[in-house]
Amino acid sequence: MDPHASRYAKQILFHGIGAEGQVRLGQASVLVAGCGALGTALVEGLVRAGVGRVRLVDRDFVDLSNLQRQVLFDEDDVARGLPKAVAAANKLGRINHEVTVEPLVTDIGPDNVLALFQGMDLVLDGLDNFETRFLLNDASLETGIPWIYAGCLGAHGQTMPVIPGQTACLRCLIESPPDPGTADTCDTAGIIQPILSAITALQLVNAFKLLVGRGDEIEPVLTLVDVWDNSHRKLRLGTAQERQSCPACGLGQRDWLKGERVARSSVLCGRNAVQISPAERLRLSLDDLATRLAPVGTVLQNAFLLRLEPTGTDYQITLFPDGRAIIKGTEDPVVARSVYARYVGA
Amino acid sequence: MQIQVNGEAIEVEPGRSIAKLLVQLQKQARYLAVERNGLLVPRSRHGEVALVEGDAIEIVTLVGGG
C-alpha cells in the first residue's frame, strides 16, 4: 500500500468516510479560529485526518498555564515564548506533512474576518471569547460559509453547527453575549481538559460530515455536555419560520461585522490578562522598541514578539508588531490601558 | 401548577407566559435561550407561549471559554 493510502487506511474503512470521502477531505480548506484548548484539539484532528489545507489563527503566545489542557504545546514552547499558531504549526508539520498549514498570528476583527474566511469550506470555533464568536456568526451568514460554535467552562461544554440558509444561527439561540463581568470565565470557574476532548470530538464529527458531502446527516441541535455529571443533552432549534425574527439570519443585521459591537480591549480567559488593540494595525519595529524599553525592565525578544517585565511591578507586557499588547497581571481593561499607555504609548 | 426549571420544581400561575416566567426568575431574555420540553422557544414567542402543568423548562446560557 502506498504511504498516503496507508496513513488513512483505518479512516477509509469507516463507512462514513470511505475512499471518496478521504479524497474530499484532502481537497477541503478549514479555518480554525483560535488555537487554545479547543483550537489545538480541533486542528490536530483535522491534520491527522488529512484535511487538505488548514488556516490557523491565534493572537496569543504559549504560557505555562496552557499546558494543563492545550494539546500540541510543551514546556519548550513556553520557554521560547512562541505564538500559539506558530508552535502548533511546528508540531502539525511533524504529524502530517501532506497538509498545508497556514499559521497566522493576529487578532480576528471586523477588518480581517472576511479575508480569513475567503477560500474556506468551513470555520471551526476554537475561541475563548463571546465577541469574536458573534463576529464569526456574522461573517458566516455574510459569506454562506458554515461554522461550528463551541464553548467550554468547568466541566460543561456546548456546540452547535451553523449552516447558513439551513440551520439556526448563534443569534437565533442567544440575542446578545453577556456583558463583561457578568459571566463566569475560565478564571472564575476553572476548566478541565476532558470537556474539551468531548466537545471538540463532536465538532470534528460534524466537520467530517460536512467536508465529505454528508452535511444532511448533521443534526441541527445545540448539544450540551457535562463530563463531571456525565450528562448529555440536545436542544432542538426550531423552524425556519421562527428564524425570520432573528436579528442576524432573519433580518440581516451584522452588528459585529460592522464593528458596532467590537471593543478594543478584551479579557483573556484563564490568563489574568487583558489584550489591548490599537484602532489601526501598526507595523512596529521590535528592535527599536527593545532598545527603547531596555532601561524600563527585563526585555525578552524573538522574531514574533517582545516581552517586557517592568522593574518593580507585577505586570508583564507582551507586544506584537501590529501594536497589540497582552497585559498580564490584571483583568481590568482600564488598568491594562493605563499600563499600555505608560510603557507602549497611546 | 408545578413546572420544572433546570431540573427544579417551581410553582407558577396556570397559563403564565415564558416572558413572565423570566421576569419572575429575574432573568434577562436577551442573554439566554429558553428550551421547553426539548425545543427552543424563539424570543419572539416568549410572550405568547403559555406554560402548562409539568412543562420542563431549561434556561440555557452560553459559555465563553475554550
Side-chain angles (χ1 to χ4, degrees):
Chain A
M1 196 181 276
D2 75 83
H4 179 85
S6 180
R7 179 189 289 269
Y8 304 116
K10 304 294 188 294
Q11 188 167 289
I12 290 169
L13 270 176
F14 175 66
H15 67 84
I17 306 278
E20 192 191 328
Q22 189 61 48
V23 171
R24 289 194 181 199
L25 285 178
Q27 293 165 344
S29 298
V30 178
L31 168 65
V32 177
C35 189
L38 290 168
T40 48
L42 291 170
V43 76
E44 182 179 349
L46 296 175
V47 166
R48 288 190 186 277
V51 168
R53 179 174 163 221
V54 175
R55 182 176 288 162
L56 181 58
V57 187
D58 195 280
R59 64 188 180 185
D60 201 1
F61 56 91
V62 185
D63 183 86
L64 184 62
S65 67
N66 302 145
L67 301 187
Q68 159 254 357
R69 67 193 183 285
Q70 302 188 12
V71 297
L72 294 178
F73 301 143
D74 59 35
E75 293 176 359
D76 187 48
D77 298 322
V78 177
R80 294 170 68 194
L82 288 179
K84 289 182 175 179
V86 173
N90 291 343
K91 302 282 164 37
L92 295 167
R94 295 201 287 274
I95 291 170
N96 189 348
H97 72 282
E98 294 180 2
V99 175
T100 303
V101 179
E102 191 185 339
L104 295 169
V105 184
T106 190
D107 200 12
I108 301 173
D111 59 329
N112 66 358
V113 68
L114 294 179
L116 294 171
F117 270 56
Q118 196 158 26
M120 297 292 121
D121 299 298
L122 172 67
V123 177
L124 294 182
D125 176 357
L127 298 165
D128 67 354
N129 69 91
F130 291 116
E131 184 181 283
T132 316
R133 288 188 173 103
F134 279 76
L135 179 64
L136 291 191
N137 191 63
D138 275 0
S140 166
L141 296 173
E142 193 67 18
T143 59
I145 298 168
W147 77 289
I148 302 177
Y149 155 73
C152 293
L153 189 72
H156 174 80
Q158 308 170 342
T159 181
M160 172 179 134
V162 177
I163 306 173
Q166 290 181 44
T167 72
C169 81
L170 190 64
R171 286 193 86 186
C172 293
L173 184 70
I174 304 267
E175 183 183 345
S176 187
D179 289 332
T182 62
D184 265 328
T185 69
C186 297
D187 275 322
T188 60
I191 187 161
I192 57 172
Q193 196 279 333
I195 187 56
L196 296 148
S197 298
I199 289 296
T200 54
L202 298 175
Q203 276 179 291
L204 284 167
V205 167
N206 278 338
F208 291 168
K209 285 181 179 176
L210 201 93
L211 297 176
V212 304
R214 303 177 77 138
D216 55 327
E217 294 177 31
I218 293 176
E219 218 181 354
V221 295
L222 172 74
T223 305
L224 303 125
V225 178
D226 190 300
V227 290
W228 201 259
D229 297 345
N230 193 22
S231 68
H232 182 282
R233 231 156 46 75
K234 296 176 197 172
L235 167 49
R236 287 175 290 137
L237 293 166
T239 65
Q241 195 188 350
E242 289 169 339
R243 292 201 287 277
Q244 287 174 359
S245 62
C246 168
C249 70
L251 304 175
Q253 294 172 17
R254 303 283 182 263
D255 299 340
W256 279 264
L257 194 55
K258 284 184 184 167
E260 291 164 0
R261 307 284 300 264
V262 177
R264 301 309 298 167
S265 58
S266 46
V267 178
L268 301 183
C269 190
R271 296 285 303 277
N272 188 31
V274 176
Q275 174 181 261
I276 304 291
S277 305
E280 287 182 37
R281 278 164 214 277
L282 310 174
R283 286 190 179 183
L284 298 175
S285 159
L286 294 182
D287 289 340
D288 290 353
L289 271 169
T291 307
R292 187 156 64 83
L293 294 173
V296 177
T298 310
V299 176
L300 176 152
Q301 187 190 352
N302 62 33
F304 311 100
L305 56 80
L306 178 152
R307 184 172 301 153
L308 167 71
E309 294 183 358
T311 308
T313 76
D314 291 323
Y315 297 120
Q316 183 191 76
I317 302 161
T318 302
L319 268 167
F320 296 86
D322 63 2
R324 286 180 309 113
I326 291 170
I327 317 287
K328 192 168 182 180
T330 180
E331 285 185 334
D332 183 346
V334 179
V335 172
R337 275 195 289 272
S338 155
V339 172
Y340 186 92
R342 229 182 311 158
Y343 296 107
V344 184
Chain B
M1 66 178 189
Q2 205 171 67
I3 62 168
Q4 299 274 324
V5 176
N6 290 2
E8 289 189 18
I10 68 161
E11 282 292 326
V12 296
E13 290 168 23
R16 169 151 290 200
S17 69
I18 288 189
K20 286 188 175 161
L21 173 70
L22 292 176
V23 172
Q24 179 183 337
L25 298 171
Q26 299 182 315
K27 303 275 188 190
Q28 285 206 46
R30 63 193 307 248
Y31 301 125
L32 49 82
V34 177
E35 172 191 343
R36 181 193 188 204
N37 304 326
L39 186 64
L40 177 73
V41 181
R43 281 180 303 280
S44 58
R45 298 194 58 226
H46 282 186
E48 65 194 60
V49 172
L51 296 165
V52 300
E53 175 87 34
D55 268 350
I57 302 295
E58 292 283 337
I59 295 174
V60 177
T61 52
L62 287 184
V63 292

